[in-house]
Amino acid sequence: MPVSRPVFLTLLGTLLGLSLTYCVSSVARLQKQSLSSSECALLVEPRQRTGLILMGIMTAAKYVDTRAYNVWKTWAKHVPGKVLFFVAENTETIHPDLPLIRLKGVDDTYPPQKKSFAMVKWMAENYLDEFDWFLRADDDLYVRGEELEKFLRSLDSSRAHAIGQAGLGNSAEYGLLALGSTDNYCMGGPGVVMSRETLRLLSPHLESCLQHLLTTHEDVELGRCIRRHVGVACTWNYEMQKLFHNNQTAAKAYTGDLSEVRAAITVHPIKDPAVMRRVHVHDRAYRLQALRARRVALRTERSDVQQPTLVRIMPNSSRDLTPWDYINNNKILFCADRVNCPRHTVDLSIRTEMGDIVTQLFEEFNSNARQRGRVLQFQSLQYGYMRVEPRFGVDYVLDMILW
């Protein structure tokens, strides 16, 4: 049956319309699929990190050229990340290489609640996706970068963490800080380490927390804000008192024995720049000792390398021999060919060096104490011998009593 012209044109238009609609929808679907693939590729591709940790150091105008600059010239050069110094808006410095962040609308009012919260907010807004960890610290803190890196790499930064030395206030403040029975805060002095997840959850609530302060202590309020909006408290572990160390004798802190530094990750307080440099030299020397011990251990594993020995040269005559000094019970030293010989008390430098040697030895002895099932402890020194070889250093032979 013949089809009329209007009906034919109607059918033809319908077919063309359906075909065109199908083509357009197919192209749109393909574009959407390709866009989704690119988005998935971005999600799968790991984000590039600038470093392990971003450290924010709060300082004031009167300390920016002393304490802060000493931090920048000492331990800040040996951290696995970036160090920034946060100051008031109009602060100036005579050191152009010092990386200052001037916080708008912030002054040097103490206690520095506003400065502390503004610093944490700034780090979240500018570097949240570039670092795994974030440190809030003061300018009288010393950080052992290698130890901090070793500690943080054992933790998962994608989970919420607030790490530091837990505090509840001193005896006069106990019960007056509006803390719950299970609440605490990370003491600001030894430093507060936050994971990226903690900072992400905390950042939107910092302004609100600043408007509802219950005390004048900025570290207490920061801990309260973390507890309320992130849901985690500061680490309760007893070991944190050693790792994030706070010396209670602030006036004489770290001016004498520095043995407590070896077990610590952060050391506080160090308000004198000279003491800061002293602690830094001690830390670098300890690091050098560890590397030398590692080198010796690696050399002993090689069969083609001569093992360490105290007989380094074959003397041609008795004049070529280096005499040994005898140390009796770490008190009296018997020597020859020097001032105060043949008998005098052991010098402070020698006693300090022997103490460092004993500490290093027992750290190595007890490195696998858990597998061995026994911890060796030093009791006393019976006697020892010491000599100085100008070309090689100082040799010690020590007879120690263990238990």
Side-chain angles (χ1 to χ4, degrees):
M1 183 178 67
V3 180
S4 63
R5 183 179 179 85
V7 174
F8 175 76
L9 293 176
T10 301
L11 292 174
L12 181 61
T14 302
L15 291 174
L16 290 175
L18 291 174
S19 300
L20 183 61
T21 302
Y22 177 77
C23 292
V24 172
S25 62
S26 299
V27 171
R29 185 167 59 253
L30 290 174
Q31 290 179 347
K32 184 176 181 180
Q33 289 177 352
S34 62
L35 180 62
S36 299
S37 300
S38 62
E39 290 176 348
C40 290
L42 290 175
L43 292 175
V44 172
E45 183 181 358
R47 289 176 291 183
Q48 297 296 323
R49 301 287 183 211
T50 302
L52 178 67
I53 185 169
L54 174 64
M55 301 184 177
I57 311 296
M58 285 194 303
T59 188
K62 61 180 178 179
Y63 298 127
V64 69
D65 293 323
T66 53
R67 292 184 191 173
Y69 192 67
N70 268 275
V71 168
W72 177 242
K73 286 299 184 180
T74 54
W75 63 261
K77 302 296 184 181
H78 305 277
V79 296
K82 189 171 187 176
V83 178
L84 298 174
F85 296 86
F86 291 81
V87 295
E89 184 174 6
N90 299 319
T91 302
E92 299 295 335
T93 178
I94 61 175
H95 304 290
D97 59 325
L98 191 64
L100 292 185
I101 303 297
R102 296 174 175 86
L103 299 170
K104 293 183 178 180
V106 174
D107 55 25
D108 286 332
T109 302
Y110 190 86
Q113 293 102 331
K114 189 174 182 180
K115 182 185 292 183
S116 175
F117 279 69
M119 178 182 73
V120 176
K121 182 72 172 178
W122 190 95
M123 290 193 293
E125 291 177 347
N126 293 273
Y127 286 101
L128 180 62
D129 294 327
E130 296 188 27
F131 294 90
D132 292 326
W133 300 92
F134 300 85
L135 172 69
R136 168 250 171 265
D138 296 326
D139 56 12
D140 58 351
L141 181 70
Y142 186 89
V143 178
R144 301 180 65 203
E146 292 86 0
E147 299 302 318
L148 179 63
E149 180 178 11
K150 187 188 306 182
F151 176 73
L152 292 181
R153 291 200 183 279
S154 66
L155 303 175
D156 184 4
S157 64
S158 64
R159 300 180 61 182
H161 293 286
I163 303 172
Q165 184 180 149
L168 296 173
N170 56 36
S171 57
E173 298 170 336
Y174 189 79
L176 302 177
L177 300 179
L179 296 174
S181 58
T182 60
D183 293 341
N184 64 4
Y185 64 94
C186 287
M187 296 170 58
V192 182
V193 178
M194 295 173 285
S195 64
R196 184 177 66 254
E197 179 66 10
T198 296
L199 191 61
R200 184 185 68 82
L201 297 174
L202 176 67
S203 176
H205 306 284
L206 286 170
E207 293 184 8
S208 174
C209 292
L210 186 60
Q211 299 300 323
H212 299 85
L213 301 178
L214 300 181
T215 68
T216 59
H217 302 288
E218 58 88 14
D219 52 357
V220 175
E221 298 306 321
L222 182 62
R224 192 192 318 278
C225 195
I226 293 174
R227 180 67 168 172
R228 179 180 302 168
H229 298 289
V230 182
V232 296
C234 189
T235 44
W236 279 110
N237 308 58
Y238 182 78
E239 187 182 7
M240 290 299 166
Q241 296 184 18
K242 291 184 177 180
L243 298 181
F244 292 80
H245 186 66
N246 184 55
N247 192 307
Q248 301 297 330
T249 60
K252 299 181 179 180
Y254 314 111
T255 57
D257 182 33
L258 294 177
S259 58
E260 56 190 331
V261 175
R262 292 195 172 189
I265 293 177
T266 67
V267 178
H268 176 267
I270 305 177
K271 301 184 181 299
D272 187 351
V275 178
M276 176 72 75
R277 292 191 293 270
R278 178 174 183 263
V279 173
H280 182 64
V281 170
H282 176 82
D283 179 63
R284 291 293 91 195
Y286 180 67
R287 174 66 175 167
L288 183 59
Q289 287 180 0
L291 292 175
R292 286 175 174 170
R294 177 63 176 163
R295 184 184 65 179
V296 171
L298 292 174
R299 286 176 62 88
T300 56
E301 295 178 1
R302 296 179 54 184
S303 58
D304 59 332
V305 176
Q306 183 180 2
Q307 300 302 314
T309 177
L310 293 177
V311 182
R312 299 189 179 94
I313 60 174
M314 296 301 296
N316 296 321
S317 65
S318 60
R319 289 179 298 179
D320 297 332
L321 292 172
T322 302
W324 288 86
D325 297 337
Y326 174 74
I327 303 172
N328 180 18
N329 198 23
N330 200 22
K331 295 179 180 178
I332 305 298
L333 186 143
F334 297 86
C335 57
D337 301 331
R338 290 201 306 275
V339 179
N340 296 330
C341 290
R343 172 177 173 172
H344 63 92
T345 57
V346 179
D347 296 337
L348 176 61
S349 59
I350 298 177
R351 293 201 304 269
T352 302
E353 181 63 25
M354 287 195 300
D356 292 340
I357 291 173
V358 170
T359 301
Q360 182 181 356
L361 284 174
F362 278 85
E363 286 179 353
E364 296 177 4
F365 291 159
N366 294 322
S367 60
N368 61 342
R370 181 174 299 179
Q371 293 83 354
R372 192 173 60 242
R374 180 189 176 191
V375 176
L376 297 177
Q377 296 185 14
F378 174 76
Q379 183 174 358
S380 64
L381 175 67
Q382 282 193 305
Y383 62 88
Y385 297 92
M386 181 195 74
R387 73 176 178 187
V388 179
E389 288 280 7
R391 290 181 297 172
F392 302 100
V394 184
D395 295 327
Y396 289 93
V397 177
L398 304 177
D399 189 325
M400 297 176 288
I401 300 177
L402 313 180
W403 64 281

